[in-house]
Amino acid sequence: YQCSVHLNPETNTHFIAMKGAPERIVNRCGKVLMDGSEESMTEELIARFEENNAALAREGERVLGFCTAELPADRFPVGHSFEIEKVEDAEGNKCPQFVGHDLNNLTFVGLVAMIDPPRPAVPPSVHKC
């Protein structure tokens, strides 16, 4: 995944934006953005996500998942210097995260699908097989 911190000029607060493999992104989310408001992530919503992700993948689309989190202004004021530390996840992977903020319980925003055509060298290689 890729994660960045941005300053919202309207509220003068920071927020996290994360993108990556859809299944990795949704596993970090405890909430989902639905019709402009945050709702708790449920098994039903996860099933819908999995269905939509699979349907896009079957069409040959490259799919990315996106999530976000507002950062509390009292702990992350304007001008805060963000530091990164490596933390071991449940599978034993060393994952970067911001010091002072866990990169879990984020808000799932959605999926983006892109056409990802094969490189020009791929069709001749497949034909040779």
Side-chain angles (χ1 to χ4, degrees):
Y1 61 85
Q2 186 271 329
C3 186
S4 55
V5 176
H6 305 272
L7 180 64
N8 182 339
E10 292 177 11
T11 61
N12 239 12
T13 59
H14 292 95
F15 68 95
I16 293 172
M18 184 184 287
K19 67 179 178 179
E23 60 281 356
R24 287 183 157 249
I25 295 298
V26 81
N27 287 337
R28 294 186 167 274
C29 296
K31 297 171 275 197
V32 60
L33 190 63
M34 299 282 287
D35 298 321
S37 61
E38 289 183 357
E39 296 182 17
S40 292
M41 183 68 81
T42 64
E43 292 299 321
E44 179 185 333
L45 289 172
I46 291 172
R48 279 179 49 195
F49 152 79
E50 289 171 348
E51 290 169 17
N52 290 330
N53 187 36
L56 291 167
R58 278 192 301 274
E59 295 296 319
E61 305 284 322
R62 175 172 291 226
V63 185
L64 288 174
F66 291 83
C67 62
T68 188
E70 298 285 330
L71 296 176
D74 60 334
R75 289 183 29 223
F76 302 96
V78 174
H80 179 81
S81 179
F82 289 90
E83 297 177 38
I84 296 184
E85 64 184 346
K86 295 260 183 168
V87 176
E88 195 169 300
D89 67 9
E91 289 124 24
N93 301 313
K94 292 282 190 178
C95 299
Q97 77 177 29
F98 296 107
V99 172
H101 192 278
D102 184 17
L103 291 179
N104 290 300
N105 202 31
L106 305 174
T107 301
F108 183 75
V109 176
L111 299 172
V112 172
M114 300 167 277
I115 297 171
D116 190 17
R119 295 185 185 137
V122 171
S125 298
V126 171
H127 181 70
K128 286 181 184 177
C129 294

